[in-house]
Short mmCIF file of all heavy atoms in Angstrom, two decimals:
data_model
loop_
_atom_site.label_atom_id
_atom_site.label_comp_id
_atom_site.label_asym_id
_atom_site.label_seq_id
_atom_site.Cartn_x
_atom_site.Cartn_y
_atom_site.Cartn_z
N PRO A 1357 122.66 73.51 144.54
CA PRO A 1357 122.58 73.45 143.08
C PRO A 1357 121.43 74.28 142.55
O PRO A 1357 120.36 74.37 143.16
CB PRO A 1357 122.38 71.96 142.81
CG PRO A 1357 121.75 71.43 144.05
CD PRO A 1357 122.35 72.22 145.18
N VAL A 1358 121.65 74.90 141.40
CA VAL A 1358 120.65 75.79 140.83
C VAL A 1358 120.93 75.97 139.34
O VAL A 1358 122.07 75.77 138.88
CB VAL A 1358 120.69 77.17 141.54
CG1 VAL A 1358 121.99 77.90 141.27
CG2 VAL A 1358 119.49 78.02 141.18
N VAL A 1359 119.90 76.32 138.60
CA VAL A 1359 120.06 76.70 137.19
C VAL A 1359 120.04 78.22 137.10
O VAL A 1359 119.09 78.87 137.55
CB VAL A 1359 118.92 76.13 136.31
CG1 VAL A 1359 119.04 76.67 134.89
CG2 VAL A 1359 118.95 74.61 136.32
N LEU A 1360 121.10 78.78 136.57
CA LEU A 1360 121.15 80.21 136.24
C LEU A 1360 120.79 80.34 134.77
O LEU A 1360 121.59 80.01 133.90
CB LEU A 1360 122.55 80.77 136.51
CG LEU A 1360 122.98 80.86 137.97
CD1 LEU A 1360 124.47 81.20 138.05
CD2 LEU A 1360 122.17 81.92 138.70
N TRP A 1361 119.57 80.77 134.50
CA TRP A 1361 119.06 80.80 133.12
C TRP A 1361 119.22 82.22 132.55
O TRP A 1361 118.40 83.09 132.77
CB TRP A 1361 117.59 80.37 133.10
CG TRP A 1361 117.10 80.09 131.71
CD1 TRP A 1361 116.63 81.01 130.81
CD2 TRP A 1361 117.04 78.82 131.06
NE1 TRP A 1361 116.28 80.39 129.64
CE2 TRP A 1361 116.53 79.05 129.76
CE3 TRP A 1361 117.38 77.52 131.44
CZ2 TRP A 1361 116.34 78.00 128.86
CZ3 TRP A 1361 117.19 76.49 130.54
CH2 TRP A 1361 116.67 76.74 129.26
N PHE A 1362 120.30 82.41 131.79
CA PHE A 1362 120.57 83.70 131.16
C PHE A 1362 119.74 83.82 129.88
O PHE A 1362 119.87 83.01 128.97
CB PHE A 1362 122.05 83.84 130.81
CG PHE A 1362 122.96 83.95 132.01
CD1 PHE A 1362 123.31 82.82 132.75
CD2 PHE A 1362 123.46 85.19 132.41
CE1 PHE A 1362 124.14 82.93 133.85
CE2 PHE A 1362 124.29 85.30 133.51
CZ PHE A 1362 124.63 84.17 134.24
N THR A 1363 118.90 84.83 129.82
CA THR A 1363 118.05 85.06 128.65
C THR A 1363 118.19 86.50 128.19
O THR A 1363 118.37 87.41 129.00
CB THR A 1363 116.57 84.72 128.94
OG1 THR A 1363 115.77 85.05 127.79
CG2 THR A 1363 116.05 85.50 130.13
N GLY A 1364 118.09 86.72 126.89
CA GLY A 1364 118.21 88.06 126.33
C GLY A 1364 118.41 87.97 124.83
O GLY A 1364 118.57 86.88 124.26
N LEU A 1365 118.38 89.11 124.19
CA LEU A 1365 118.54 89.15 122.73
C LEU A 1365 119.93 88.67 122.30
O LEU A 1365 120.87 88.67 123.10
CB LEU A 1365 118.33 90.59 122.23
CG LEU A 1365 116.93 91.17 122.37
CD1 LEU A 1365 116.96 92.67 122.07
CD2 LEU A 1365 115.95 90.47 121.43
N SER A 1366 120.04 88.31 121.05
CA SER A 1366 121.35 88.01 120.47
C SER A 1366 122.23 89.25 120.59
O SER A 1366 121.78 90.36 120.28
CB SER A 1366 121.20 87.61 119.00
OG SER A 1366 122.45 87.38 118.40
N GLY A 1367 123.44 89.08 121.07
CA GLY A 1367 124.34 90.23 121.23
C GLY A 1367 124.18 90.96 122.54
O GLY A 1367 124.86 91.97 122.79
N SER A 1368 123.29 90.47 123.41
CA SER A 1368 123.06 91.15 124.69
C SER A 1368 124.22 90.93 125.66
O SER A 1368 124.42 91.72 126.59
CB SER A 1368 121.76 90.67 125.33
OG SER A 1368 121.81 89.28 125.61
N GLY A 1369 124.95 89.85 125.46
CA GLY A 1369 126.08 89.55 126.35
C GLY A 1369 125.84 88.34 127.24
O GLY A 1369 126.59 88.11 128.19
N LYS A 1370 124.84 87.54 126.92
CA LYS A 1370 124.50 86.37 127.75
C LYS A 1370 125.69 85.44 127.95
O LYS A 1370 126.05 85.11 129.09
CB LYS A 1370 123.36 85.57 127.10
CG LYS A 1370 122.06 86.31 126.94
CD LYS A 1370 121.01 85.42 126.31
CE LYS A 1370 121.40 84.90 124.94
NZ LYS A 1370 121.61 85.98 123.94
N SER A 1371 126.27 84.99 126.85
CA SER A 1371 127.37 84.03 126.94
C SER A 1371 128.59 84.64 127.61
O SER A 1371 129.27 83.98 128.40
CB SER A 1371 127.74 83.52 125.54
OG SER A 1371 126.68 82.79 124.97
N THR A 1372 128.86 85.90 127.31
CA THR A 1372 130.03 86.57 127.87
C THR A 1372 129.90 86.71 129.38
O THR A 1372 130.84 86.42 130.14
CB THR A 1372 130.22 87.95 127.23
OG1 THR A 1372 130.31 87.80 125.80
CG2 THR A 1372 131.49 88.62 127.74
N VAL A 1373 128.73 87.15 129.83
CA VAL A 1373 128.50 87.31 131.27
C VAL A 1373 128.48 85.95 131.96
O VAL A 1373 129.09 85.77 133.02
CB VAL A 1373 127.19 88.06 131.54
CG1 VAL A 1373 126.90 88.10 133.04
CG2 VAL A 1373 127.26 89.48 130.97
N ALA A 1374 127.79 84.97 131.36
CA ALA A 1374 127.72 83.64 131.96
C ALA A 1374 129.12 83.04 132.09
O ALA A 1374 129.44 82.40 133.11
CB ALA A 1374 126.83 82.74 131.12
N ASN A 1375 129.95 83.24 131.09
CA ASN A 1375 131.32 82.73 131.13
C ASN A 1375 132.10 83.39 132.26
O ASN A 1375 132.86 82.72 132.98
CB ASN A 1375 132.01 82.98 129.79
CG ASN A 1375 133.38 82.34 129.72
OD1 ASN A 1375 133.51 81.13 129.75
ND2 ASN A 1375 134.42 83.17 129.66
N ALA A 1376 131.91 84.68 132.43
CA ALA A 1376 132.59 85.41 133.51
C ALA A 1376 132.11 84.95 134.88
O ALA A 1376 132.90 84.84 135.83
CB ALA A 1376 132.37 86.91 133.35
N VAL A 1377 130.82 84.65 134.98
CA VAL A 1377 130.28 84.14 136.24
C VAL A 1377 130.87 82.77 136.55
O VAL A 1377 131.29 82.50 137.69
CB VAL A 1377 128.74 84.04 136.18
CG1 VAL A 1377 128.19 83.29 137.41
CG2 VAL A 1377 128.11 85.43 136.11
N GLU A 1378 130.95 81.91 135.55
CA GLU A 1378 131.51 80.58 135.80
C GLU A 1378 132.97 80.67 136.21
O GLU A 1378 133.43 79.91 137.07
CB GLU A 1378 131.36 79.67 134.58
CG GLU A 1378 131.75 78.24 134.95
CD GLU A 1378 131.60 77.23 133.84
OE1 GLU A 1378 131.78 77.59 132.66
OE2 GLU A 1378 131.33 76.06 134.15
N ARG A 1379 133.72 81.58 135.62
CA ARG A 1379 135.11 81.76 136.00
C ARG A 1379 135.20 82.17 137.48
O ARG A 1379 136.07 81.68 138.22
CB ARG A 1379 135.75 82.82 135.10
CG ARG A 1379 137.17 83.23 135.48
CD ARG A 1379 138.13 82.07 135.54
NE ARG A 1379 138.25 81.37 134.26
CZ ARG A 1379 139.03 80.30 134.08
NH1 ARG A 1379 139.74 79.83 135.09
NH2 ARG A 1379 139.09 79.72 132.91
N LYS A 1380 134.31 83.04 137.91
CA LYS A 1380 134.30 83.45 139.31
C LYS A 1380 133.91 82.28 140.23
O LYS A 1380 134.48 82.11 141.31
CB LYS A 1380 133.32 84.62 139.51
CG LYS A 1380 133.83 85.97 139.00
CD LYS A 1380 132.80 87.07 139.21
CE LYS A 1380 133.36 88.43 138.87
NZ LYS A 1380 134.36 88.90 139.84
N LEU A 1381 132.95 81.47 139.79
CA LEU A 1381 132.56 80.31 140.57
C LEU A 1381 133.73 79.34 140.72
O LEU A 1381 133.95 78.77 141.81
CB LEU A 1381 131.37 79.60 139.92
CG LEU A 1381 130.02 80.32 139.99
CD1 LEU A 1381 129.00 79.62 139.11
CD2 LEU A 1381 129.51 80.40 141.43
N LEU A 1382 134.47 79.16 139.66
CA LEU A 1382 135.63 78.28 139.70
C LEU A 1382 136.66 78.79 140.71
O LEU A 1382 137.22 78.02 141.50
CB LEU A 1382 136.27 78.17 138.32
CG LEU A 1382 137.52 77.28 138.21
CD1 LEU A 1382 137.15 75.82 138.48
CD2 LEU A 1382 138.17 77.42 136.85
N SER A 1383 136.88 80.09 140.71
CA SER A 1383 137.85 80.68 141.63
C SER A 1383 137.41 80.53 143.09
O SER A 1383 138.25 80.55 144.00
CB SER A 1383 138.07 82.16 141.30
OG SER A 1383 136.93 82.94 141.64
N LEU A 1384 136.10 80.35 143.29
CA LEU A 1384 135.56 80.15 144.63
C LEU A 1384 135.48 78.67 145.00
O LEU A 1384 134.99 78.32 146.07
CB LEU A 1384 134.16 80.78 144.73
CG LEU A 1384 134.10 82.31 144.61
CD1 LEU A 1384 132.65 82.77 144.50
CD2 LEU A 1384 134.78 82.97 145.82
N GLY A 1385 135.96 77.82 144.10
CA GLY A 1385 135.95 76.39 144.37
C GLY A 1385 134.60 75.73 144.19
O GLY A 1385 134.35 74.65 144.75
N LYS A 1386 133.73 76.34 143.38
CA LYS A 1386 132.38 75.81 143.17
C LYS A 1386 132.32 74.97 141.90
O LYS A 1386 133.11 75.15 140.97
CB LYS A 1386 131.36 76.94 143.12
CG LYS A 1386 131.33 77.80 144.38
CD LYS A 1386 131.12 76.96 145.63
CE LYS A 1386 131.18 77.80 146.90
NZ LYS A 1386 131.03 76.96 148.12
N HIS A 1387 131.38 74.05 141.89
CA HIS A 1387 131.21 73.12 140.77
C HIS A 1387 130.10 73.62 139.85
O HIS A 1387 128.95 73.76 140.28
CB HIS A 1387 130.85 71.73 141.28
CG HIS A 1387 131.89 71.14 142.19
ND1 HIS A 1387 132.79 70.19 141.78
CD2 HIS A 1387 132.18 71.41 143.49
CE1 HIS A 1387 133.59 69.87 142.78
NE2 HIS A 1387 133.24 70.60 143.83
N SER A 1388 130.43 73.87 138.59
CA SER A 1388 129.45 74.44 137.67
C SER A 1388 129.70 73.93 136.25
O SER A 1388 130.74 73.33 135.96
CB SER A 1388 129.53 75.97 137.68
OG SER A 1388 130.79 76.40 137.18
N TYR A 1389 128.71 74.18 135.39
CA TYR A 1389 128.88 73.88 133.96
C TYR A 1389 128.03 74.84 133.15
O TYR A 1389 126.86 75.08 133.50
CB TYR A 1389 128.48 72.44 133.62
CG TYR A 1389 128.98 72.04 132.25
CD1 TYR A 1389 130.28 71.58 132.07
CD2 TYR A 1389 128.16 72.17 131.13
CE1 TYR A 1389 130.76 71.25 130.81
CE2 TYR A 1389 128.62 71.84 129.87
CZ TYR A 1389 129.92 71.38 129.71
OH TYR A 1389 130.40 71.07 128.47
N LEU A 1390 128.63 75.38 132.10
CA LEU A 1390 127.94 76.34 131.23
C LEU A 1390 127.44 75.67 129.96
O LEU A 1390 128.24 75.08 129.20
CB LEU A 1390 128.88 77.50 130.88
CG LEU A 1390 128.41 78.49 129.82
CD1 LEU A 1390 127.09 79.14 130.22
CD2 LEU A 1390 129.48 79.56 129.57
N LEU A 1391 126.14 75.74 129.74
CA LEU A 1391 125.53 75.25 128.51
C LEU A 1391 125.24 76.46 127.63
O LEU A 1391 124.38 77.28 127.95
CB LEU A 1391 124.22 74.52 128.83
CG LEU A 1391 124.36 73.23 129.65
CD1 LEU A 1391 123.01 72.84 130.26
CD2 LEU A 1391 124.90 72.11 128.79
N ASP A 1392 125.98 76.59 126.54
CA ASP A 1392 125.84 77.74 125.65
C ASP A 1392 124.98 77.39 124.44
O ASP A 1392 125.10 76.29 123.89
CB ASP A 1392 127.22 78.22 125.19
CG ASP A 1392 127.14 79.39 124.23
OD1 ASP A 1392 126.89 80.51 124.71
OD2 ASP A 1392 127.28 79.18 123.01
N GLY A 1393 124.15 78.33 124.03
CA GLY A 1393 123.21 78.09 122.95
C GLY A 1393 123.85 77.60 121.66
O GLY A 1393 123.41 76.61 121.06
N ASP A 1394 124.90 78.28 121.21
CA ASP A 1394 125.57 77.88 119.97
C ASP A 1394 126.26 76.53 120.12
O ASP A 1394 126.22 75.68 119.22
CB ASP A 1394 126.60 78.94 119.56
CG ASP A 1394 125.95 80.16 118.92
OD1 ASP A 1394 124.73 80.12 118.70
OD2 ASP A 1394 126.65 81.15 118.66
N ASN A 1395 126.92 76.32 121.25
CA ASN A 1395 127.64 75.07 121.46
C ASN A 1395 126.71 73.86 121.45
O ASN A 1395 127.02 72.81 120.87
CB ASN A 1395 128.42 75.13 122.78
CG ASN A 1395 129.55 76.14 122.75
OD1 ASN A 1395 129.83 76.73 121.71
ND2 ASN A 1395 130.17 76.36 123.89
N VAL A 1396 125.57 74.00 122.09
CA VAL A 1396 124.62 72.88 122.16
C VAL A 1396 124.08 72.54 120.78
O VAL A 1396 123.80 71.38 120.48
CB VAL A 1396 123.48 73.22 123.14
CG1 VAL A 1396 122.35 72.21 123.05
CG2 VAL A 1396 124.01 73.27 124.56
N ARG A 1397 123.95 73.53 119.92
CA ARG A 1397 123.45 73.28 118.56
C ARG A 1397 124.49 72.58 117.67
O ARG A 1397 124.18 72.17 116.56
CB ARG A 1397 122.98 74.59 117.92
CG ARG A 1397 121.60 75.03 118.41
CD ARG A 1397 121.11 76.27 117.69
NE ARG A 1397 119.76 76.65 118.08
CZ ARG A 1397 118.65 76.18 117.53
NH1 ARG A 1397 118.73 75.30 116.56
NH2 ARG A 1397 117.46 76.60 117.94
N HIS A 1398 125.71 72.45 118.15
CA HIS A 1398 126.71 71.67 117.42
C HIS A 1398 126.56 70.17 117.67
O HIS A 1398 127.13 69.36 116.93
CB HIS A 1398 128.13 72.11 117.82
CG HIS A 1398 128.60 73.32 117.09
ND1 HIS A 1398 128.31 74.61 117.50
CD2 HIS A 1398 129.36 73.46 115.97
CE1 HIS A 1398 128.86 75.48 116.66
NE2 HIS A 1398 129.49 74.81 115.73
N GLY A 1399 125.84 69.81 118.71
CA GLY A 1399 125.72 68.40 119.05
C GLY A 1399 124.30 67.99 119.37
O GLY A 1399 123.55 67.57 118.49
N LEU A 1400 123.92 68.12 120.62
CA LEU A 1400 122.61 67.67 121.11
C LEU A 1400 121.45 68.18 120.25
O LEU A 1400 120.53 67.44 119.93
CB LEU A 1400 122.41 68.13 122.56
CG LEU A 1400 121.07 67.81 123.21
CD1 LEU A 1400 120.88 66.30 123.35
CD2 LEU A 1400 120.97 68.49 124.57
N ASN A 1401 121.52 69.45 119.86
CA ASN A 1401 120.39 70.06 119.14
C ASN A 1401 120.73 70.43 117.69
O ASN A 1401 120.12 71.33 117.12
CB ASN A 1401 119.91 71.30 119.90
CG ASN A 1401 119.26 70.94 121.22
OD1 ASN A 1401 118.95 69.78 121.46
ND2 ASN A 1401 119.06 71.92 122.08
N LYS A 1402 121.68 69.73 117.10
CA LYS A 1402 122.08 70.08 115.74
C LYS A 1402 121.01 69.76 114.70
O LYS A 1402 121.08 70.24 113.56
CB LYS A 1402 123.39 69.40 115.37
CG LYS A 1402 123.33 67.89 115.24
CD LYS A 1402 124.71 67.36 114.86
CE LYS A 1402 124.72 65.84 114.72
NZ LYS A 1402 126.07 65.34 114.37
N ASP A 1403 120.01 68.98 115.09
CA ASP A 1403 118.93 68.64 114.17
C ASP A 1403 117.81 69.68 114.17
O ASP A 1403 116.86 69.57 113.40
CB ASP A 1403 118.33 67.28 114.54
CG ASP A 1403 117.76 67.25 115.95
OD1 ASP A 1403 118.40 67.82 116.86
OD2 ASP A 1403 116.68 66.67 116.15
N LEU A 1404 117.94 70.72 115.00
CA LEU A 1404 116.87 71.71 115.13
C LEU A 1404 117.18 72.99 114.35
O LEU A 1404 118.34 73.41 114.28
CB LEU A 1404 116.66 72.07 116.60
CG LEU A 1404 116.24 70.92 117.52
CD1 LEU A 1404 116.15 71.40 118.96
CD2 LEU A 1404 114.91 70.31 117.07
#
């Protein structure tokens, strides 16, 4: 288990690349979860 911490400017491609990586992990039978900046602000961090 590990955290893959994608960092970069807005529009750099963080979410797109991370999503593609997770898709590849799934195809390899690996267990993963993607925490996306915008998605998290809809719930856990919507007060920030």
Side-chain angles (χ1 to χ4, degrees):
V1358 67
V1359 174
L1360 291 170
W1361 192 276
F1362 291 79
T1363 176
L1365 293 169
S1366 177
S1368 62
K1370 299 181 300 299
S1371 295
T1372 304
V1373 175
N1375 186 66
V1377 170
E1378 189 178 32
R1379 174 56 60 181
K1380 284 179 173 289
L1381 288 171
L1382 180 66
S1383 71
L1384 293 171
K1386 302 305 176 182
H1387 300 258
S1388 65
Y1389 194 84
L1390 171 58
L1391 296 163
D1392 178 76
D1394 283 353
N1395 293 354
V1396 170
R1397 281 184 176 273
H1398 277 85
L1400 177 65
N1401 292 347
K1402 67 180 180 181
D1403 60 318
L1404 299 177

